[in-house]
Amino acid sequence: VSELTVSHEAGFDLPPGPRDPEDAAAGSEAQARVQEALLDLAPDLRLAVVLYDIEGQSYQEVARVLRIPEGTVKSRIHRARNALRERLRSYVSSGRGGASS
Amino acid sequence: VSHDHVSDRLGEHLEGDLSLAESMRVDRHLAECAACSSELRELRATVALLRGLPDPEPPERLRAAVMCRIEAGEGSRPLVLRLFGRIGEPRFAAALAAGCAALVVLSVLDFGAGIFLGTSSEPSPNPVAARRNSGVVTVADASGASQRLPGRSASAADGMRTALVAFDIAMPPKRAASEGFAASFGFFDASAPPVPLLDLDGEIERLMADPTPFLERMRRTAAPERRHMIAPLVEHSARRGDVALVARTLGMAAPPTAVTASQR
């Protein structure tokens, strides 16, 4: 799946390899866009999604850290992901680099 | 099955939070609704993008550097300049001033009296807290900063959050973003006393206007046997107007050396 390659292939610590330079450029570009999109989120949504999806904490941990109920954590994460999805449409829409159109 | 209703449940579906029955109902809808299944694919791809962000190695160094500076009783301006370099923007200047003020207040408390605040020096029974505590210790040790942190300095953790979240809101969008995020959020500690993170502007304003409540909170959250050591310091700091002084000084682009130096 193309979107997975975009997200996983580029990283600060990857050793130089037989990777296509164009792929690498696309990867860092995508990462930069993701970070920009994150910065555009409202802080409460950003905190929730960063802790959960990027830091890999559990609902319970996020709830404790932010001192909000778990239900609120879930809804914030979902709202954040939806907002990011809108902003990152060109990277996440199934058309990009996919089978066709 | 209403389309909107299923669309609402996609987030839960993605996380496997739905009951089997609900999950099957959503699956049935997805099979016949192109819009919903495309939305789900996009959500998956979004999550993959988020999880594919680089492993935050730079933030560890940032964290170590800031911890080191807290330990050394310094303000954090040079570090901030190097990392974020956005002096001149009013919002950043305000965040920086408040962040540094917080750090300096903590420096005054920690370094000036040679004490560390802590809600408890005992290992936390809570595994999450314990893990995070030990993380802070590891970083502090790795930077060569200190053996003095018995588990964590509650005051330092508080200051870090105030400071780093302040930096976060004014962070340049691209290069520093991942550093700032991980640095800010890596510092959360489940066992630390509450900090009004989501009212950051208010927090900055209050801190700059009057450090007393901040210091009071430090005092309240200190281990009981250490409270008597803090009270005089709180008075001293508040009387000298250190925080306001530092904020003003930073606003005029001069390092806050006078304040920390005077505490030695």
Side-chain angles (χ1 to χ4, degrees):
Chain A
V1 183
S2 64
E3 58 265 24
L4 291 179
T5 29
V6 166
S7 64
H8 286 303
E9 278 207 350
F12 293 150
D13 300 320
L14 283 185
R19 208 165 37 148
D20 182 348
E22 280 187 25
D23 278 356
S28 355
E29 166 70 13
Q31 285 173 0
R33 288 288 307 280
V34 173
Q35 283 165 357
E36 279 175 28
L38 279 167
L39 283 168
D40 283 339
L41 289 180
D44 57 345
L45 298 187
R46 194 201 305 163
L47 282 163
V49 80
V50 166
L51 289 172
Y52 185 78
D53 276 328
I54 299 179
E55 292 241 319
Q57 299 193 4
S58 67
Y59 288 142
Q60 201 189 3
E61 285 174 300
V62 178
R64 201 182 299 133
V65 160
L66 298 182
R67 296 180 169 83
I68 53 178
E70 271 187 50
T72 312
V73 171
K74 290 182 191 180
S75 81
R76 283 187 188 173
I77 290 168
H78 186 54
R79 277 158 59 210
R81 284 172 172 182
N82 261 327
L84 292 169
R85 177 174 70 88
E86 293 291 334
R87 292 197 163 273
L88 299 169
R89 183 135 264 164
S90 61
Y91 291 94
V92 301
S93 80
S94 27
R96 180 190 160 85
S100 63
S101 68
Chain B
V1 175
S2 133
H3 170 81
D4 283 345
H5 186 59
V6 165
S7 186
D8 281 349
R9 314 310 293 266
L10 285 179
E12 294 162 274
H13 186 63
L14 194 60
E15 292 302 306
D17 289 343
L18 293 177
S19 71
L20 183 59
E22 278 183 306
S23 182
M24 287 171 67
R25 193 174 59 77
V26 172
D27 276 337
R28 276 198 302 277
H29 176 78
L30 286 169
E32 58 197 29
C33 175
C36 277
S37 53
S38 149
E39 187 176 328
L40 183 62
R41 266 198 311 276
E42 289 179 10
L43 272 175
R44 281 211 176 96
T46 304
V47 172
L49 277 176
L50 285 171
R51 297 192 174 161
L53 283 176
D55 196 43
E57 188 55 32
E60 286 302 321
R61 293 197 293 275
L62 174 64
R63 181 190 304 196
V66 176
M67 285 307 288
C68 183
R69 280 164 189 275
I70 289 177
E71 287 294 288
E74 291 179 31
S76 65
R77 188 161 186 276
L79 171 73
V80 174
L81 277 177
R82 200 162 61 245
L83 285 168
F84 302 110
R86 283 185 99 190
I87 299 299
E89 293 185 22
R91 205 163 73 120
F92 181 77
L96 176 61
C100 282
L103 288 182
V104 171
V105 167
L106 295 169
S107 301
V108 168
L109 282 172
D110 276 353
F111 184 77
I115 54 171
F116 282 92
L117 311 181
T119 49
S120 165
S121 57
E122 291 167 9
S124 166
N126 178 326
V128 175
R131 179 158 55 76
R132 302 212 163 265
N133 289 353
S134 69
V136 172
V137 171
T138 305
V139 168
D141 288 347
S143 74
S146 174
Q147 305 296 323
R148 289 187 300 164
L149 287 176
R152 128 192 103 84
S153 158
S155 57
D158 256 5
M160 284 301 301
R161 277 180 293 187
T162 308
L164 288 174
V165 174
F167 300 154
D168 171 53
I169 60 164
M171 213 175 353
K174 281 192 179 170
R175 199 190 119 265
S178 65
E179 294 185 359
F181 277 130
S184 305
F185 302 116
F187 250 93
F188 285 121
D189 184 325
S191 68
V195 174
L197 287 168
L198 301 182
D199 180 25
L200 185 66
D201 289 341
E203 178 79 344
I204 290 173
E205 219 164 89
R206 281 191 294 277
L207 184 61
M208 291 179 74
D210 177 12
T212 314
F214 182 83
L215 292 165
E216 278 297 320
R217 194 173 67 215
M218 290 288 110
R219 196 163 62 85
R220 277 201 311 276
T221 56
E225 69 273 16
R226 288 174 175 166
R227 279 187 190 147
H228 72 282
M229 302 169 67
I230 294 159
L233 209 64
V234 169
E235 277 180 32
H236 177 70
S237 261
R239 195 169 57 240
R240 287 172 49 93
D242 282 345
V243 173
L245 173 66
V246 171
R248 276 200 306 274
T249 310
L250 283 167
M252 298 186 307
T257 48
V259 174
T260 47
S262 71
Q263 297 299 315
R264 287 171 182 266

